[in-house]
Amino acid sequence: MTSQEYQEAVDWLFVQAPNYQIDGQKAYKPGLDNIKKLCDFFGNPQDKIKTIHIGGTNGKGSTSNMLASVLQESGFKIGLYNSPHLIDFSERIKVNGKNCDKEFVYQFIQKLKQLPEDIRPSFFEFTTIMSFEYFYQQQVDFAIIEVGLGGRLDSTNIIKPLVSAITNVQLDHQNILGDTIEEIAREKAGIVKENTTIISGDENLSVKEIIINKAKESNSSFVDATKIEAALESDLKGNYQKKNIRVVLALIEELRKQGININDENVKSGLLNVHQNTNFIGRWFEFSKEPLTICDTGHNQAGLAEVFNQLKGYSEHKHIVLGFVNDKKIDDVIPMLPSEAEFYFVKPSISRGRHPEDYEYLLKKSELNYKIFDTVQDGYLSAKQNCKKQEMIFIGGSNFVVGDFLEKNLQTKE
């Protein structure tokens, strides 16, 4: 297999049916038929591994990586399924922090191309069954599975986990999941399984009530992670990580109840070594110190609010590189932006990337000091050129903005 053959195989995946369909329905797929057929075709590898299910609007990536790091420190072989990737497709499927073997990806895609006519999966369904099969082949002790979108009808929801968690529920993907927090919470709560503990990290009482009721229906225990005292620190530095740490600690406590040996030192060292153990980047990631350059993948209203609140804590003059995808409500974001900063609005390279010219009419109404660029790299290089000593650069607004930035610059970083 050459690198070109690998890339062509991955490109084939990307042209498959989208991960969800928008047909006026609140649910984003008609059911789990495709993933069930896929799993049957491959011998149901998801039933041959022990899994942990992590859902929520924000924080599920950080939470799953922190938990993976703790379990690795405890001596376990850990599979980790996250999305989206930032640089290479193989980041989505990891074992003990190492990206999925590219030869496996290539060979598995060849098998996917030979599927029977009655199985027509989406891109995310393809990658989900790929992760299950890889984790089974690698004989992981535990596989941590991050929900892709929503929960109830997400293709990951075919698993029978040891424990599940919902980090929080915020407004995001309203055109697919529902127009209100409560509607979205019902979709997220769809991951609650019969007789399986569900952990919630959300402080919203109406969200808690929905998850509690779903737990009661399922004869499952409900654990409120917001009640946990979390004095531990992590090398993931966003202020929002304190909330995620509580969810991780609740997950660990439940796993301990099931006889899994995780000592306090494993917990402490695991939280402090997430980057090293899982190669997780992009969440309040300090790319450089001179100039101070930070990127963060926060992309919905709640996530961006956390990001800009944390930026307020930096006294340095800010150069902010921002870009968005088509379904983001830019008019909700603009009021959050610090008026004293300099902005570089960019278009992510993904096909869903939104060109800033499309929303420049909103920018003109604001009093922001801004420029517009066709690519993330052009915006970043302009910010870097304009950034004086003792000033800082921030890059964000979308996973795909951060991915474009890191792909161009991470390998050349000194």
Side-chain angles (χ1 to χ4, degrees):
M1 177 204 68
T2 65
S3 59
Q4 182 177 346
E5 286 174 327
Y6 166 78
Q7 193 55 54
E8 286 173 354
V10 171
D11 289 343
W12 177 84
L13 272 187
F14 277 99
V15 299
Q16 302 312 301
N19 186 28
Y20 47 80
Q21 61 185 34
I22 302 170
D23 55 5
Q25 301 297 314
K26 299 299 184 186
Y28 49 94
K29 284 191 297 184
L32 298 177
D33 289 346
N34 273 335
I35 191 65
K36 288 178 180 176
K37 289 177 182 177
L38 264 179
C39 288
D40 282 342
F41 184 83
F42 285 98
N44 290 302
Q46 79 283 359
D47 293 338
K48 302 170 185 175
I49 54 177
K50 294 177 180 177
T51 58
I52 297 160
H53 210 188
I54 312 289
T57 303
N58 295 316
K60 53 186 182 287
S62 297
T63 299
S64 58
N65 275 266
M66 284 192 279
L67 179 62
S69 181
V70 169
L71 290 172
Q72 285 172 225
E73 290 282 344
S74 304
F76 297 110
K77 188 176 186 180
I78 302 301
L80 183 58
Y81 179 47
N82 292 133
S83 62
H85 63 272
L86 292 180
I87 300 174
D88 187 83
F89 173 83
S90 61
E91 294 169 33
R92 292 171 177 256
I93 305 169
K94 294 179 180 177
V95 172
N96 278 7
K98 186 178 179 182
N99 290 2
C100 180
D101 180 70
K102 290 186 177 182
E103 180 68 32
F104 169 85
V105 172
Y106 175 79
Q107 295 297 342
F108 196 79
I109 290 174
Q110 307 317 305
K111 295 177 184 177
L112 292 174
K113 289 181 178 180
Q114 305 303 318
L115 286 171
E117 287 292 322
D118 65 328
I119 307 179
R120 282 291 169 265
S122 69
F123 168 80
F124 191 73
E125 288 165 338
F126 275 142
T127 61
T128 299
I129 182 60
M130 189 186 296
S131 74
F132 293 155
E133 180 64 20
Y134 190 65
F135 296 150
Y136 171 61
Q137 288 189 16
Q138 292 288 310
Q139 290 294 289
V140 299
D141 294 310
F142 305 100
I144 301 171
I145 308 295
E146 179 189 331
V147 173
L149 183 65
R152 180 173 66 95
L153 296 176
D154 188 76
S155 59
T156 65
N157 206 27
I158 196 171
I159 62 175
K160 299 165 186 172
L162 300 175
V163 58
S164 303
I166 297 170
T167 55
N168 54 61
V169 178
Q170 304 288 346
L171 291 174
D172 198 17
H173 301 293
Q174 292 100 305
N175 53 344
I176 302 160
L177 300 178
D179 295 323
T180 67
I181 292 284
E182 288 74 22
E183 286 180 301
I184 295 171
R186 291 185 190 98
E187 289 297 316
K188 303 282 185 189
I191 69 169
V192 177
K193 300 292 192 302
E194 291 287 331
N195 304 302
T196 305
T197 297
I198 180 71
I199 289 157
S200 168
D202 201 302
E203 296 175 350
N204 185 317
L205 292 178
S206 62
V207 169
K208 281 185 190 180
E209 185 177 358
I210 288 167
I211 300 173
I212 288 169
N213 288 338
K214 181 64 176 176
K216 287 178 180 176
E217 289 173 18
S218 306
N219 195 34
S220 300
S221 300
F222 172 87
V223 176
D224 186 352
T226 67
K227 305 294 186 186
I228 292 175
E229 293 295 326
L232 295 173
E233 297 292 327
S234 172
D235 61 339
L236 303 186
K237 291 302 181 187
N239 291 340
Y240 50 82
Q241 299 296 1
K242 294 173 184 175
K243 299 175 184 177
N244 296 329
I245 287 172
R246 292 189 181 98
V247 177
V248 173
L249 294 178
L251 283 161
I252 289 165
E253 188 56 36
E254 176 59 27
L255 292 173
R256 282 170 166 169
K257 288 179 182 177
Q258 297 184 30
I260 297 163
N261 185 24
I262 309 165
N263 66 42
D264 290 346
E265 194 55 41
N266 299 149
V267 176
K268 184 178 178 181
S269 58
L271 290 174
L272 288 173
N273 292 285
V274 182
H275 289 303
Q276 178 182 317
N277 287 339
T278 73
N279 286 307
F280 184 55
I281 56 174
R283 277 65 171 182
W284 210 260
F285 177 60
E286 188 176 293
F287 175 79
S288 70
K289 292 186 181 297
E290 292 185 5
L292 176 60
T293 303
I294 292 170
C295 58
D296 190 276
T297 55
H299 57 277
N300 50 45
Q301 190 172 357
L304 286 169
E306 293 272 9
V307 163
F308 291 118
N309 280 335
Q310 184 152 356
L311 275 175
K312 288 178 183 176
Y314 291 79
S315 59
E316 294 92 339
H317 179 69
K318 299 167 185 68
H319 299 262
I320 299 179
V321 181
L322 284 181
F324 307 98
V325 293
N326 285 329
D327 63 344
K328 296 308 170 191
K329 293 184 177 179
I330 312 299
D331 49 354
D332 289 340
V333 175
I334 289 176
M336 302 180 194
L337 303 180
S339 58
E340 69 280 3
E342 294 179 49
F343 288 90
Y344 308 75
F345 288 97
V346 299
K347 180 191 179 299
S349 61
I350 190 173
S351 60
R352 291 194 295 125
R354 190 170 180 185
H355 200 289
E357 289 175 352
D358 293 344
Y359 54 86
E360 189 176 11
Y361 70 97
L362 292 170
L363 300 176
K364 286 178 177 177
K365 291 179 185 177
S366 72
E367 296 183 357
L368 298 176
N369 177 9
Y370 72 90
K371 296 176 183 175
I372 283 177
F373 299 88
D374 292 332
T375 70
V376 173
Q377 186 68 359
D378 287 344
Y380 165 64
L381 291 177
S382 179
K384 190 176 180 182
Q385 184 177 19
N386 294 332
C387 187
K388 299 182 179 68
K389 197 173 182 180
Q390 307 305 320
E391 296 182 346
M392 71 176 290
I393 299 171
F394 175 82
I395 300 128
S398 165
N399 284 287
F400 306 106
V401 170
V402 174
D404 284 354
F405 166 70
L406 292 175
E407 184 175 13
K408 289 286 187 183
N409 300 286
L410 196 58
Q411 297 304 319
T412 58
K413 181 182 175 186
E414 292 183 1

